[in-house]
C-alpha cells in the first residue's frame, strides 16, 4: 500500500501543512514501504481510494500563505507560465485592491459536472477568511470570483471584463487578473459595461477588424505571412506588366513605327519591366527586415516536445516518480481525480504480476497543463525522469462524461510493439479508472512480447512543431509566380474591360441625350430661326454663294415634317452660314466632321472603320483611336422610329453630299426631291 502525495502543486510543496490538512492520508509515513505499513482497519478505504477535493487541496497550500494575500499557482500550468513569475505578477495586481484576496491558478477543477460545482465556496468554508476569492484557469478568459465580507462588485467587474471586445479568449492569466482589478477599482473605465456593445458592429468597426485581419495575414513572422505578401506583391507587379503591355500594344496598333515610335515603345516596355520588378520586390525588404517572432519562435512547451524530458517543468513528474519509488508501487493516483476510485487497490496488486513492467497513473489532465493534456507526453516525461522503461497506462478523467479511457505507451521497451499496443487498448472505455485499467491489462495479455518489436518515435515530436523555413523562399513560393504571370495581368484586363463597359454604359446615354430627337429638334429650331432672320435681313448678300442653296433648302425642309437627319442638316448648315458671316475670310469649304457633323469643321483625315477609309474629322476625333471613333459616330432616328448610325442613311442627300460640303447645289435639288416624295 502507498501513501498518496498531493497531485499537481506549486514548485515548493509544504509537506507539514499538507499532512496537517490531509489526515485521511496519514495512514502511513511518507517513507514507509507496503511491507512496513500498518494494516488498514476493516472496511476503511484504501489509500488508492481516498479522495481529496480541490478546495481541500488548495486550502492546505494556502495555510502557509500571508494572511489576506494568498496566491497559489499550480505546477500544472508550467507549460504556459513560469509559476514563480506568475505568482509575483498576481500579487502585484491584487495588492492594488486594498482588500484581502485568495487567488488560485489551476486548470483543476475543470468546468465539467464531474467536479461537483464551483470550488470557491468550499475553499472559503475551509479557510474561513473574508476577502476576494478568484479561480483563474490558464489558456481561458473564463474565471470564477466570489466576495465574502468585502463590499466589492466582483460579479459586475467580471461581466464588464468578459464583455470587453479587446479581451481575447485565452489571454494570459496575468492579463486577465490586471483587467479584473481595473474593472473593480475603476467601474467607469475601459472595462465598463456598454449597453450598445452587443449591437450590430458599425461600418467603421467592420472595416477596422477587416484591416487588422488583412495585416495579420501579411505578418512576416507567421507561417503564411511571407507567402501571402509575395503573392500580393507579385499580383501587383503582374498588374503593372499588364498595364505596360497594353500601352505598348496601343502604340503598335497605330501603324508602322518610325524612329521615335520605336523609342517610345521600347522605353515603355523597359519602364514597365523595371516598375513591375520594383513593385514585386519592394515588400521583400520589409519581410526580411522584420524581427524574428510569432510562429518562427517556438513556445517553451513546443521546444520541450523535441527532446527528453518533453516538458518545460518536471515538478509534477518528479513528484509522481518520487512517490512511486518511495512506495515501491506501480500505481499512482492523484487524490483530486474526480472519477470513481473504487477497485484501484485490487488493480495495484494485479500490476505486479504483468509479463512486462507496467506503470499506471490515474490523474486529472487538461489541455492547459504542462503535458498539453496528452497522456503520451506524460508517459515519456515520467519515463525520462524516473529512468524506468515500461508500458505506461494513463487513465484520465477528461472523457468522464462518456466514461474513462486509457492511453497505453510503450517507452524504452524493445519487446512490445507500439502499434499493436495502441490497437489493443485504443477502444477501451469504462465507467471507472479501475475498470479501464483492468481492461487495458486484459488487452496487454494478448499483445505479443518479443525482441525487436516496433517502438517508433513519439508522435508529438514530429507533430508540426517545426518553425517555418527562411522567409525569402516562402516569399517566392507562396503564389508569387502565379501573381506575376497570370493573376496580375488578368486583374488588369478585368479592370480595363470593366472601365470600357462602364464608359459605354454611362457615356453613350449621355451622348444620346445630347443628340436625341428632342434635343436635335430644339437645336434645329434655334439655329434655323437665326438663319431665317439673316436671310430676311440686308445681310443676306454677305452669305457666300455656295452656301445659299443649302441655306434655302434648310428653311424648306424645316417646314415639311423634318426628321432627325433633317434637324442635323439644319444645325450644320446654319452654323456654317453663321460662321461665314462672323469671319468673312474663313474657309467655308471645309467639310464637317464625318464622325459626327455636329462636332464642327474637320481639321484632318483619319481612318474610320464604318466607311473603311480615311475621312475628314475634327481634332478630337482625329486624336482618338478607332474604337473611340466608332463609338462616337452620330446615331439618329429614322422615319420608322429605329435608331441607327447616320452614315447608314447614305441614300439621303444630307449624307451623300456631306451636308453641303460637296456639290451644295445638287444637294439642295435632291433634298427638294425628297421633300416632294414624302
Amino acid at each position: 500500500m502507498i501513501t498518496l502525495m498531493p497531485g499537481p502543486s506549486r514548485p515548493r510543496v509544504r509537506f507539514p501543512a499538507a499532512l496537517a490538512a490531509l489526515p485521511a492520508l496519514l495512514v502511513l509515513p511518507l517513507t514507509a514501504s507496503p511491507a512496513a505499513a500498518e494494516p488498514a482497519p476493516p472496511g476503511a478505504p484504501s489509500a488508492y481510494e481516498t479522495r481529496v477535493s480541490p478546495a481541500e487541496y488548495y486550502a492546505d497550500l494556502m495555510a502557509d500563505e500571508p494572511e489576506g494575500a494568498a496566491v497559489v499557482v499550480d505546477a500544472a500550468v508550467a507549460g504556459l507560465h513560469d509559476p514563480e513569475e506568475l505568482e509575483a505578477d498576481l500579487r502585484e495586481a491584487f495588492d492594488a485592491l486594498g482588500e484581502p484576496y485568495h487567488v488560485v491558478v489551476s486548470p483543476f477543477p475543470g468546468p465539467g459536472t464531474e467536479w461537483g460545482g464551483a470550488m470557491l465556496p468550499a475553499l472559503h468554508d475551509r479557510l474561513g477568511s473574508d476577502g476576494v476569492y478568484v479561480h483563474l484557469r490558464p489558456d481561458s478568459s473564463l474565471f470564477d470570483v466570489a466576495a465574502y465580507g468585502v463590499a466589492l462588485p466582483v460579479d459586475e467587474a467580471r461581466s464588464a471584463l468578459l464583455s470587453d471586445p479587446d479581451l481575447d479568449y485565452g489571454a494570459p492569466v496575468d492579463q486577465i487578473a490586471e483587467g479584473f482589478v481595473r474593472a473593480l477599482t475603476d467601474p467607469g473605465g475601459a472595462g465598463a459595461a456598454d449597453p450598445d456593445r452587443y449591437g450590430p458592429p458599425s461600418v467603421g468597426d467592420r472595416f477596422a477588424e477587416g484591416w487588422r485581419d488583412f495585416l495579420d495575414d501579411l505578418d512576416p513572422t507567421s507561417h503564411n505571412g511571407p507567402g501571402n505578401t509575395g503573392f500580393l506583391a507579385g499580383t501587383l507587379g503582374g498588374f503593372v506588366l499588364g498595364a505596360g503591355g497594353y500601352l505598348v500594344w496601343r502604340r503598335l496598333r497605330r501603324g508602322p513605327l518610325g524612329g521615335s515610335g520605336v523609342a517610345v515603345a521600347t522605353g515603355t516596355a523597359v519602364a514597365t519591366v523595371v516598375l513591375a520588378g520594383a513593385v514585386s520586390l519592394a515588400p521583400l525588404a520589409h519581410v526580411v527586415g522584420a524581427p524574428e517572432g510569432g510562429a518562427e519562435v517556438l513556445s517553451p512547451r513546443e521546444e520541450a516536445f523535441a527532446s527528453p524530458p518533453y516538458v518545460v517543468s518536471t515538478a509534477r513528474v518528479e513528484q509522481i516518480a518520487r512517490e512511486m519509488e518511495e512506495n515501491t508501487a506501480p500505481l499512482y493516483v492523484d487524490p483530486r481525480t474526480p472519477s470513481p476510485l473504487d477497485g484501484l487497490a485490487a488493480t495495484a496488486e494485479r500490476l505486479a504480476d504483468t509479463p512486462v513492467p507496467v506503470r499506471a497513473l490515474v490523474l486529472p489532465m487538461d489541455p492547459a497543463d504542462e503535458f498539453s493534456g496528452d497522456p503520451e507526453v506524460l508517459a515519456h516525461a515520467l519515463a525520462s525522469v524516473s529512468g524506468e522503461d515500461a508500458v505506461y497506462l494513463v487513465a484520465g478523467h477528461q472523457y468522464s462524461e462518456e466514461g474513462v479511457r486509457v492511453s497505453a505507451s510503450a517507452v524504452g521497451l524493445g519487446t512490445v510493439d507500439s502499434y499493436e499496443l495502441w490497437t489493443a487498448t485504443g477502444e477501451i472505455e469504462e465507467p471507472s479508472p479501475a475498470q479501464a485499467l483492468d481492461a487495458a491489462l486484459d488487452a496487454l495479455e494478448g499483445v505479443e512480447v518479443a525482441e525487436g518489436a516496433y517502438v517508433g518515435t513519439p508522435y508529438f515530436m514530429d507533430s508540426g512543431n517545426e518553425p517555418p523555413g527562411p522567409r525569402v523562399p516562402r516569399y517566392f513560393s507562396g503564389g508569387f509566380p502565379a501573381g506575376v504571370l497570370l493573376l496580375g495581368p488578368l486583374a488588369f484586363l478585368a479592370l480595363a474591360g470593366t472601365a470600357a463597359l462602364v464608359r459605354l454604359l454611362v457615356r453613350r446615354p449621355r451622348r444620346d441625350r445630347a443628340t436625341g430627337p428632342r434635343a436635335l429638334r430644339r437645336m434645329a429650331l434655334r439655329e434655323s430661326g437665326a438663319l431665317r432672320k439673316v436671310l430676311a435681313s440686308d445681310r443676306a448678300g454677305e452669305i457666300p454663294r455656295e452656301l445659299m442653296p443649302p441655306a434655302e433648302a434648310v428653311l424648306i425642309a424645316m417646314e415639311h415634317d423634318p426628321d432627325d437627319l433633317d434637324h442635323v442638316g439644319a444645325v450644320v448648315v446654319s452654323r456654317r452660314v453663321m460662321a461665314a458671316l462672323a469671319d468673312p475670310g474663313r474657309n467655308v469649304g471645309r467639310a464637317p466632321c464625318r464622325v459626327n457633323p455636329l462636332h464642327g469643321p474637320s481639321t484632318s483625315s483619319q481612318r474610320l472603320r464604318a466607311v473603311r477609309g480615311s475621312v475628314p474629322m475634327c481634332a478630337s476625333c482625329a486624336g482618338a483611336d478607332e474604337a473611340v471613333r466608332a463609338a462616337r459616330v452620330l446615331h439618329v432616328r429614322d422615319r420608322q422610329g429605329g435608331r441607327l448610325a447616320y452614315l447608314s442613311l447614305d441614300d439621303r442627300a444630307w449624307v451623300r453630299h456631306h451636308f453641303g460640303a460637296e456639290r451644295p447645289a445638287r444637294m439642295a435639288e435632291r433634298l427638294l426631291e425628297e421633300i416632294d416624295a414624302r
Side-chain angles (χ1 to χ4, degrees), residues 117-168:
M119 174 185 67
L120 296 183
L123 182 62
H124 171 253
D125 289 343
R126 289 187 171 276
L127 295 177
S129 300
D130 290 339
V132 177
Y133 284 73
V134 184
H135 176 204
L136 298 165
R137 295 184 177 87
D139 203 27
S140 172
S141 58
L142 301 178
F143 61 100
D144 297 325
V145 295
Y148 299 94
V150 293
L152 290 175
V154 293
D155 292 331
E156 292 80 356
R158 177 182 182 275
S159 299
L161 176 62
L162 294 182
S163 63
D164 188 344
D166 295 328
L167 179 69
D168 295 328

Side-chain angles (χ1 to χ4, degrees), residues 246-549:
Y246 172 73
L247 294 177
V248 173
W249 173 78
R250 282 195 58 181
R251 182 64 189 86
L252 295 176
R253 283 191 68 230
R254 294 182 180 180
L257 297 178
S260 61
V262 172
V264 171
T266 303
T268 303
V270 172
T272 297
V273 173
V274 172
L275 182 59
V279 170
S280 301
L281 299 179
L284 183 59
H286 167 68
V287 170
V288 174
E292 189 178 40
E296 299 171 323
V297 179
L298 295 180
S299 68
R301 182 157 56 174
E302 291 173 330
E303 288 183 346
F305 285 167
S307 60
Y310 309 110
V311 288
V312 176
S313 170
T314 59
R316 195 176 179 191
V317 291
E318 286 177 352
Q319 177 183 318
I320 295 173
R322 182 170 58 250
E323 179 170 339
M324 297 182 79
E325 180 181 3
E326 291 175 351
N327 294 281
T328 63
L331 175 63
Y332 171 83
V333 180
D334 189 298
R336 292 174 299 169
T337 300
S339 303
L341 303 183
D342 300 341
L344 286 174
T347 303
E349 297 177 0
R350 185 179 177 187
L351 286 169
D353 299 328
T354 54
V356 294
V358 178
R359 302 290 181 265
L361 302 98
V362 180
L363 75 171
M365 300 189 72
D366 186 89
D369 65 22
E370 70 269 52
F371 313 118
S372 295
D374 191 330
E376 188 166 348
V377 176
L378 167 60
H380 284 80
L382 182 57
S384 175
V385 169
S386 66
E388 293 184 327
D389 297 336
V391 172
Y392 285 83
L393 303 178
V394 181
H397 79 282
Q398 63 266 45
Y399 303 104
S400 61
E401 292 184 0
E402 300 178 1
V404 175
R405 292 181 179 271
V406 173
S407 172
S409 305
V411 183
L413 296 179
T415 58
V416 178
D417 187 288
S418 296
Y419 180 76
E420 186 178 352
L421 178 63
W422 176 83
T423 303
T425 60
E427 300 298 325
I428 293 176
E429 182 177 327
E430 298 293 341
S432 69
Q435 292 171 293
L437 291 175
D438 287 341
L441 292 174
D442 292 340
L444 185 60
E445 293 177 358
V447 175
E448 182 178 355
V449 178
E451 294 293 335
Y454 171 77
V455 177
T457 303
Y459 79 92
F460 55 81
M461 294 185 65
D462 54 1
S463 59
N465 292 324
E466 292 288 331
R471 296 177 184 175
V472 173
R474 288 188 287 144
Y475 182 89
F476 289 106
S477 63
F480 181 87
V484 170
L485 302 177
L486 181 63
L487 294 181
L490 287 178
F492 171 78
L493 291 177
L495 181 62
T498 302
L501 179 61
V502 170
R503 185 174 57 186
L504 289 175
L505 295 177
V506 174
R507 292 188 177 182
R508 171 64 67 83
R510 289 181 178 177
R511 185 179 68 241
D512 288 346
R513 287 195 296 271
T515 58
R518 293 183 179 180
L520 285 175
R521 183 174 181 275
R522 286 194 298 269
M523 285 191 296
L525 290 174
R526 182 175 63 251
E527 302 290 349
S528 64
L531 177 61
R532 187 184 302 276
K533 290 180 181 180
V534 170
L535 289 176
S537 70
D538 54 1
R539 297 193 65 189
E542 298 177 15
I543 298 175
R545 185 174 57 183
E546 62 268 29
L547 292 180
M548 284 299 295

Side-chain angles (χ1 to χ4, degrees), residues 5-22 52-67 69-76 87 91 102-106 108 119 123 126-127 319 334 336:
M5 296 287 288
S9 64
R10 303 170 61 203
R12 61 182 192 279
V13 179
R14 299 177 176 83
F15 291 103
L19 295 175
L22 303 177
V52 176
S53 70
E56 181 180 359
Y57 178 80
Y58 292 117
D60 165 62
L61 294 180
M62 284 187 172
D64 289 344
E65 291 290 312
E67 184 177 356
V71 177
V72 172
V73 179
D74 199 312
E87 178 180 334
R91 289 188 187 281
H102 306 78
V103 181
V104 175
V105 181
S106 173
F108 317 115
M119 174 185 67
L123 182 62
R126 289 187 171 276
L127 295 177
Q319 177 183 318
D334 189 298
R336 292 174 299 169

Side-chain angles (χ1 to χ4, degrees), residues 205-262:
D205 292 339
R206 288 195 294 266
F207 176 81
E209 182 179 359
W211 180 249
R212 286 194 298 268
D213 293 342
F214 174 75
L215 294 180
D216 289 342
D217 290 339
L218 300 181
D219 184 1
T221 65
S222 65
H223 277 278
N224 299 323
N228 291 337
T229 305
F231 172 71
L232 180 60
T235 301
L236 292 176
F239 186 91
V240 173
L241 286 178
Y246 172 73
L247 294 177
V248 173
W249 173 78
R250 282 195 58 181
R251 182 64 189 86
L252 295 176
R253 283 191 68 230
R254 294 182 180 180
L257 297 178
S260 61
V262 172

Side-chain angles (χ1 to χ4, degrees), residues 85 194 269 298 506 626:
E85 291 183 3
D194 182 357
L298 295 180
V506 174
E626 290 192 26

